[in-house]
Amino acid sequence: MRTLVLNAGYEPLAVVSFKRALVLVMNDKATVIEHITDNPVWGTDGAHDRPAVIILTRYVRVPGGRTVPVTRRGVLRRDGHRCAYCAKAASTIDHVLPRSRGGADSWENLVACCLKCNNLKSDRTPQEMGWDLRFLPGAPRGAQWTVRGTDRTDPAWEPYLELAA
Ligand SMILES: [Zn+2]
């Protein structure tokens, strides 16, 4: 059981254990805005509803902005496991500008790719192949990407995550 923590401006900030969330609430650092009522926690002073979503009482500044590290899994997830060239099911990733020609390991230069297109393309560019990218690749945005732990979403969190996406 985990709790979504929102910044005072309602943007998703973190996912913590409900115990940690209760401590924040008891110290007046946060207020509960969504409860899970069917599974209370028993403390020395009786039953507490499990907090599903809490909001901080004071705004917390997040240092350094939110960058999502590039991973193979992340690229496949961003592109919906569909080939960026032919839209068929993709299990590999392709460097749009091949690595052998200076292409970077970046969100902008990596796309999901099916095995067939990957083999055909090899170390050529899409232009040389006469292929078009179905979309312009870039870093993913939204709380599902930038807040650790939100990929396994609680239904009670969804309205708050959508708000931020
Ligand atoms: Zn393909």
Side-chain angles (χ1 to χ4, degrees):
M1 276 296 182
R2 297 171 78 73
T3 303
L4 178 66
V5 183
L6 302 179
N7 209 343
Y10 275 88
E11 62 270 39
L13 202 61
V15 175
V16 300
S17 71
F18 74 87
K19 283 182 185 161
R20 174 89 186 113
L22 280 179
V23 170
L24 288 169
V25 171
M26 283 189 266
N27 291 329
D28 294 323
K29 296 258 168 58
T31 310
V32 180
I33 52 174
E34 295 280 349
H35 284 293
I36 297 167
T37 48
D38 58 353
N39 192 4
V41 198
W42 290 90
T44 45
D45 53 345
H48 293 274
D49 286 333
R50 272 172 211 265
V53 183
I54 62 172
I55 184 163
L56 297 181
T57 47
R58 295 185 63 176
Y59 195 84
V60 170
R61 212 164 262 292
V62 183
R66 294 280 178 81
T67 52
V68 186
V70 189
T71 60
R72 202 188 110 81
R73 261 184 62 186
V75 170
L76 288 172
R77 185 179 154 206
R78 181 197 63 189
D79 299 348
H81 291 81
R82 294 274 152 200
C83 178
Y85 304 107
C86 75
K88 293 210 175 87
S91 58
T92 68
I93 59 172
D94 176 57
H95 288 77
V96 178
L97 177 66
R99 203 159 25 178
S100 60
R101 296 161 68 170
D105 289 318
S106 65
W107 286 114
E108 290 74 22
N109 193 48
L110 290 170
V111 291
C113 191
C114 73
L115 208 56
K116 193 178 161 199
C117 289
N118 214 333
N119 286 335
L120 280 170
K121 181 173 174 286
S122 185
D123 60 352
R124 283 181 290 260
T125 66
Q127 290 85 346
E128 287 166 352
M129 298 299 292
W131 290 357
D132 285 323
L133 282 165
R134 295 187 299 115
F135 54 88
L136 195 66
R141 292 158 181 268
Q144 279 94 333
W145 288 91
T146 54
V147 181
R148 203 177 286 265
T150 51
D151 45 344
R152 274 181 27 209
T153 310
D154 186 304
W157 300 353
E158 270 164 24
Y160 303 96
L161 293 176
E162 280 162 18
L163 207 77

